[in-house]
Structures are given as structure tokens and as C-alpha cells.
Amino acid sequence: MPSDCIPFRETNYFSSFICDYLDEKPELKEFYHRFPKLDNFKDQLQEKQQSFPSENRKVLKASLSSQYKNVDISEATQKNIDLLDKDTTFTVTTGHQLNLFTGPLYFLYKIVSTINLTSVLKEKHPEYDFVPIYWMATEDHDFDEINYFNFKGKKIQWNRKDGGAVGVFDTEGLDKVFEIFSSEIGSGRNAERLKSLFREAYLKHNNLADATRYLANELFRDYGLVIVDADDKELKRLFIPYVKRELEEQVSYNTVLPKAEKLEAKGYKVQVNPREINLFYLSEGSRERIIEKEGSYFVNDTEISWSKSGLLKELSEFPERFSPNVMMRPLYQEVILPNLCYIGGGGELAYWLELKDYFEAVQIPFPMLLLRNSVLIKTEKQADKIKRLVISDTELFLKQHELINRKVRQISNIDINFDPQRKVLKEQFEGMYELAKQTDVTFVNAVKAQEVKQLKGLDVLEKRLLKAQRIKLSDHVQRLTTIQNELFPNQSLQERNTNFSEMYLEYGEELISELIKQLDPLCGEFVVLNM
């Protein structure tokens, strides 16, 4: 059960931009449509219901049925796919890259947040249905970001030739990755289940998209998760009018760039800057940018080119060859899904928040944007160690040197805090300043230099004393360091480093069911779980 919930700002791992968004700061109101509060969903679903074409629902259902034809589909997932052609059904969506063996733990948290929000919405609005969607980033081409996962401090990596959209990559070479993983994971019921998941996903499917669909489907089959591969000709046919406007009018560039400039003017870092044309062209082994020069169109680093009429003909005949980049993918999602809310991490929401004017320009409702659940999981053994070390959950998030210094001060039998001495020293020098002004004003700088020197001396003495106490209390410091390193690998969040397999070894099938049970998608704080 949750042992604590910590405001995101207090963890010091989240940007001021995202924290200000969560706090609903007035200066960010123009960058989103409706804030993700439960009471706001009624208006969002009515707006989407009125604007989403019934034809798009039919195409979506047919495409999903085709994508699932060779998948052992659960009754819950089949029911949700069947519901999608009804105008009273809406989706909640999260997206993620095709990371090897799910990548970091937050893959699970994204999907759990999505599933749980659909449950909350169904309870609030029983007259409607809500379907959780996992959008596979099959058209992504950043292979180096997805070709590995971390297991107990070791990087398990898939080495193969790079090039093009990752979803169509064959799974050659993953048998060697499986051998390495199997040798690391040991034996036992949970270990054998993990080996089976890896084997069935990656050694018995021909490409990375099918492998990832199998894995996500197996992990969440009981919860009705629907997995979408948008690299689909019929789905892209629905997007043709928006691609055409992008090519002809550069709508995304002309609407997103001013919005990004406004964010910068408010002191926020812009996550992504738009290009003049935010589309790639897909061909075998390649996904390259489309560029316009003097009325002609080219594919970057290739010999492919068209006139304007030739490019539009290519789009009409082969829409599957046109791939939206990070600026246009959100729009593609909202065109083909009856979606209410996108759930993502801080970096994702940061670029979504640049897009509101773009959506308005093309007359597509802008979805609600919800920060996914973030979680720190402590085992029972770890929780017991932390209790004996008298560390609060909030203190766990401190930088390591800050945590050590704080705890050393607390447990020392001497007071390692020279603030009282600093105060006395400053009071003494105030008198010297007055004396200097009365005798020789030029002497003030000399007094100031002496004050700085003595205050620095106190700083040095305090640090030396702390260091001496750390040595004296080295056993305690070592235990502090060890437990924080376990929970914050590489001095970063557990969820951004650790693979789910480490947790599955500990908890087995209860891992996901417990996350489903414990995580509130609308809680708005970082969750610490004792499991």
C-alpha cells in the first residue's frame, strides 16, 4: 500500500514547467484546453462526441481487428474493440517507444494510469464506455534509445543494424539477448515466467511491433488494454487531409512556433521546435524528412523528389509512406481515436503543451493532458532498513551528499552546525564596519575581506568536522548510501532505470494487479509504495 505521496515539486526530479502546470499557474492556461479534473471530462467527451466522425470509428475498429487477427485476444480486449464503433465510447491513450522488454518501469505506470482512468470515468459516467489505449511508437527511428534494458545494474543490449522505422525491424539476434538474460535471471517460478514472456515475444514473432504487442497484451490482457499500431494504411488514409494541409500550408510550423516563443518568453524551456514540414517519408530501411525547396519536394539524404502535384498524388495513392514527426503525431492520434485524454511523462506533456493553437487551426478538439503516475517501489526488506535508519520518504529523494550530511548531523553527539558562530561573527564585524567608516572609509574593504576570510574559515572547519564524523559513522553512512543506491540507481529515479523484470522476480503476477489496485491516476503526486 502507499506509504507516502510526495508533491512532484518536492522530489526535485521534475521541471518547473510541469510543476507549474500541475499547480494550474494562470500563465500556462493558454497552453491547454481543460485541466484533467474529473468534473471536466463531461464537457470533453461531449465535444469529442460531436466532432468525431462515425466513419473514423468504423475504420479504427476494422484496422484493430486486422492487427489482432493473430493475437490471443482476451475477452476484455475484444469487448473494448467492439465498443469502439459506438458514439458513446471514448478512449484514454498513452504512448511509448518499442523498448526492448518494455524498457524502464514507467512503461507499466503509463499503462496502469491509463487503465485506471478509464475505470474512474466509467464509474463517474456509466452511460458511456471508456477504452484504454497503448499507442505503439512503431514509426520511431531512434533505435539507440530502445535497444537495451537494465537488469540489476547490467545493460542487456540488442546489437543489430539500424535504419528506418523500428516497428518493422526483424527480431534476428534476439536469441543471443535471450541467452544473456536467461543466464542472469536465475531460476524459480517467476524467473521461468519472465523467460517465457521474452521467448514468446521476441523469438516467435517476426518483427518488433508484433513482439511488443504480444508482450503488452500478455501483461495487461485482464484489463482490456487495446494496442494500436498506427503504421497502418487505412488509418493513415483518414489523415490525408491534414498531411495535405501540412505540405501546402505548413500549418504546424506557423501555429506551434509562436506558441513555443511564448513559452520561452515566460522563462520555460521549449521541449521541441517545429520544422517547416513535420513529416517523414518511409521507405525500406529509411525514415527521412520531407523538405520543400522552391516549390519542389525532396526526401532528405536520398534522391527521391517530386513536384507538388506529384507529391500529392503519392500521398493519395500511398498514405502509409507518410509518417508524422513528434509535432504531428499527437494530431494523428486525435484524428483516428475518439480520445479524451493523453497520459504521458513530463517531457511528453511539455511538447503537447506547445500544440493547442495547431489543433484549433485544424479544428480538432485538444485532449486533456495528464501526468502519468510516478512510483518508487520499496520491498519489505528495504522498508525495514529505511525505518531502522530513520529516513523519511521525502529524505530519500535528497541528493546523496545532502542526505548523508543531514543524517550525520542528526545522529552525531556534537552539534555540527556553525550557524550560531556565523551570526556572532557577523555581529562583531558590524561594529568594525562602523569603526572603519568613522576613521577611514577606505578601511571598509579591508574589513569586508577579513569577514569573508573568517566566514570561509568556518565553512572549511564545518566541512572538515562533517567529514570526520562521516568517517566515525562510516558504517551508518555506508548503509545510507547502499539503500539509496538501491532505490535510485545511478542517482536517478528507479522508474527511469529499472526494468519490470526485477520487480516481477520479487512479486510475480501480483506486481501489476497491485499497481492497478494502489495507483490513483488523478492523485497528482509522486507515490511511494511499500510492497
Side-chain angles (χ1 to χ4, degrees):
M1 60 180 292
S3 66
D4 209 349
C5 291
I6 301 170
F8 283 104
R9 197 182 295 275
E10 291 183 15
T11 69
N12 295 312
Y13 280 96
F14 292 80
S15 70
S16 60
F17 185 18
I18 291 303
C19 292
D20 287 351
Y21 171 66
L22 295 176
D23 291 341
E24 299 181 71
K25 291 288 182 70
E27 55 265 36
L28 288 177
K29 182 66 182 75
E30 66 177 289
F31 297 93
Y32 60 92
H33 188 30
R34 295 184 179 93
F35 194 77
K37 293 178 178 177
L38 190 55
D39 289 342
N40 289 341
F41 277 91
K42 181 70 173 178
D43 290 338
Q44 189 76 21
L45 67 85
Q46 288 178 345
E47 183 180 18
K48 193 71 176 184
Q49 187 175 38
Q50 292 165 8
S51 63
F52 195 76
S54 59
E55 179 58 33
N56 290 26
R57 290 181 177 274
K58 293 175 184 176
V59 173
L60 175 62
K61 182 178 176 182
S63 292
L64 287 171
S65 297
S66 176
Q67 291 178 22
Y68 270 90
K69 65 183 178 183
N70 295 319
V71 178
D72 178 20
I73 192 169
S74 69
E75 184 178 335
T77 296
Q78 184 62 65
K79 178 186 175 184
N80 279 341
I81 291 174
D82 291 340
L83 285 169
L84 284 169
D85 64 358
K86 299 181 182 298
D87 68 358
T88 54
T89 299
F90 301 92
T91 62
V92 173
T93 303
T94 194
H96 197 65
Q97 295 171 297
L98 307 188
N99 292 73
L100 186 60
F101 215 41
T102 77
L105 266 169
Y106 66 76
F107 172 84
L108 297 191
Y109 305 152
K110 279 184 168 184
I111 295 177
V112 169
S113 299
T114 304
I115 290 168
N116 282 349
L117 183 56
T118 60
S119 299
V120 171
L121 291 173
K122 181 62 177 175
E123 186 175 339
K124 178 75 171 179
H125 303 286
E127 68 275 26
Y128 297 98
D129 291 297
F130 304 93
V131 176
I133 299 287
Y134 161 43
W135 179 290
M136 294 194 296
T138 54
E139 296 177 58
D140 192 274
H141 59 255
D142 294 322
F143 182 62
D144 288 344
E145 293 184 2
I146 68 167
N147 67 349
Y148 70 95
F149 63 96
N150 297 313
F151 180 77
K152 294 189 175 180
K154 295 183 179 180
K155 186 177 183 179
I156 299 178
Q157 187 166 336
W158 176 26
N159 296 308
R160 59 151 289 156
K161 186 179 178 182
D162 195 358
V166 297
V168 296
F169 278 16
D170 64 50
T171 52
E172 184 179 353
L174 282 169
D175 54 337
K176 295 181 177 63
V177 177
F178 176 68
E179 289 174 12
I180 295 169
F181 180 55
S182 295
S183 66
E184 293 288 340
I185 204 169
S187 59
R189 179 181 174 184
N190 294 340
E192 293 306 315
R193 172 59 175 154
L194 286 168
K195 291 175 189 177
S196 174
L197 280 171
F198 194 105
R199 184 189 304 111
E200 293 293 324
Y202 295 106
L203 307 189
K204 296 187 179 181
H205 289 86
N206 295 326
N207 61 57
L208 192 54
D210 289 346
T212 305
R213 182 188 294 108
Y214 172 86
L215 182 58
N217 182 66
E218 283 297 304
L219 291 173
F220 293 99
R221 61 183 297 113
D222 295 338
Y223 304 100
L225 181 69
V226 174
I227 302 161
V228 173
D229 180 357
D231 188 8
D232 179 292
K233 184 172 184 176
E234 296 310 311
L235 292 176
K236 285 192 173 178
R237 196 173 296 282
L238 299 175
F239 199 50
I240 287 176
Y242 304 91
V243 174
K244 185 172 182 292
R245 282 195 66 182
E246 176 71 7
L247 294 169
E248 293 181 326
E249 304 173 36
Q250 301 178 349
V251 187
S252 61
Y253 179 80
N254 291 325
T255 55
V256 175
L257 186 62
K259 212 68 172 175
E261 290 172 347
K262 281 188 176 182
L263 278 174
E264 280 191 320
K266 292 176 183 290
Y268 297 113
K269 180 183 177 182
V270 172
Q271 189 74 10
V272 181
N273 284 302
R275 299 183 183 276
E276 291 186 349
I277 294 177
N278 291 285
L279 289 163
F280 290 95
Y281 186 77
L282 294 172
S283 56
E284 188 172 353
S286 174
R287 183 179 184 247
E288 290 289 344
R289 290 188 293 119
I290 297 173
I291 301 168
E292 186 267 334
K293 291 180 182 178
E294 298 178 354
S296 295
Y297 295 83
F298 305 86
V299 177
N300 190 46
D301 289 338
T302 75
E303 296 181 358
I304 302 171
S305 65
W306 306 271
S307 64
K308 181 177 179 180
S309 60
L311 180 60
L312 295 179
K313 183 174 183 290
E314 179 82 359
L315 172 62
S316 176
E317 294 177 357
F318 304 104
E320 70 276 13
R321 296 178 183 175
F322 292 78
S323 176
N325 77 350
V326 68
M327 290 281 95
M328 284 192 73
R329 189 212 69 80
L331 179 66
Y332 180 34
Q333 170 189 299
E334 297 301 308
V335 166
I336 68 173
L337 295 176
N339 196 52
L340 303 177
C341 178
Y342 183 76
I343 296 179
E348 290 174 284
L349 297 199
Y351 71 73
W352 271 90
L353 287 164
E354 299 175 38
L355 303 177
K356 181 169 174 278
D357 288 0
Y358 177 31
F359 275 72
E360 289 178 354
V362 295
Q363 298 181 310
I364 294 293
F366 194 56
M368 298 164 86
L369 302 174
L370 178 63
L371 186 66
R372 64 168 172 82
N373 285 121
S374 279
V375 185
L376 174 67
I377 295 176
K378 297 184 295 187
T379 66
E380 189 176 333
K381 189 177 294 185
Q382 288 170 333
D384 183 59
K385 288 179 181 178
I386 289 166
K387 184 178 180 180
R388 284 189 274 113
L389 288 167
V390 197
I391 310 172
S392 71
D393 286 337
T394 303
E395 286 176 326
L396 284 171
F397 287 82
L398 292 170
K399 298 299 182 186
Q400 195 160 90
H401 70 278
E402 293 175 356
L403 173 64
I404 290 170
N405 287 346
R406 176 180 292 193
K407 302 316 287 186
V408 166
R409 281 189 170 98
Q410 287 177 1
I411 63 177
S412 292
N413 54 10
I414 55 175
D415 186 10
I416 314 176
N417 185 341
F418 286 180
D419 283 347
Q421 286 80 5
R422 291 185 183 91
K423 183 180 178 182
V424 170
L425 190 63
K426 288 179 179 180
E427 289 173 351
Q428 290 176 340
F429 271 93
E430 284 176 7
M432 294 182 69
Y433 281 124
E434 290 301 318
L435 184 61
K437 290 174 185 177
Q438 292 174 19
T439 55
D440 186 347
V441 175
T442 60
F443 193 55
V444 170
N445 288 336
V447 174
K448 179 65 177 176
Q450 192 62 225
E451 180 187 22
V452 170
K453 181 179 179 181
Q454 293 197 33
L455 286 171
K456 281 185 177 179
L458 282 177
D459 291 342
V460 170
L461 287 172
E462 186 179 72
K463 288 177 181 177
R464 288 182 64 181
L465 188 55
L466 268 172
K467 183 178 179 181
Q469 280 299 94
R470 284 204 302 270
I471 294 170
K472 185 177 179 180
L473 301 169
S474 59
D475 179 62
H476 195 92
V477 168
Q478 183 59 50
R479 284 184 287 145
L480 282 171
T481 304
T482 299
I483 193 65
Q484 195 188 49
N485 287 345
E486 287 178 10
L487 293 170
F488 293 79
N490 302 316
Q491 293 295 289
S492 183
L493 291 177
Q494 178 192 73
E495 62 178 29
R496 297 178 187 171
N497 285 272
T498 303
N499 183 257
F500 89 99
S501 57
E502 287 190 42
M503 298 300 172
Y504 196 96
L505 276 178
E506 182 82 19
Y507 304 109
E509 293 182 1
E510 292 182 8
L511 172 63
I512 291 176
S513 61
E514 194 65 18
L515 290 173
I516 293 283
K517 178 181 176 183
Q518 297 295 344
L519 299 185
D520 173 4
L522 298 172
C523 80
E525 293 189 312
F526 198 108
V527 177
V528 181
L529 280 181
N530 288 336
M531 289 182 61

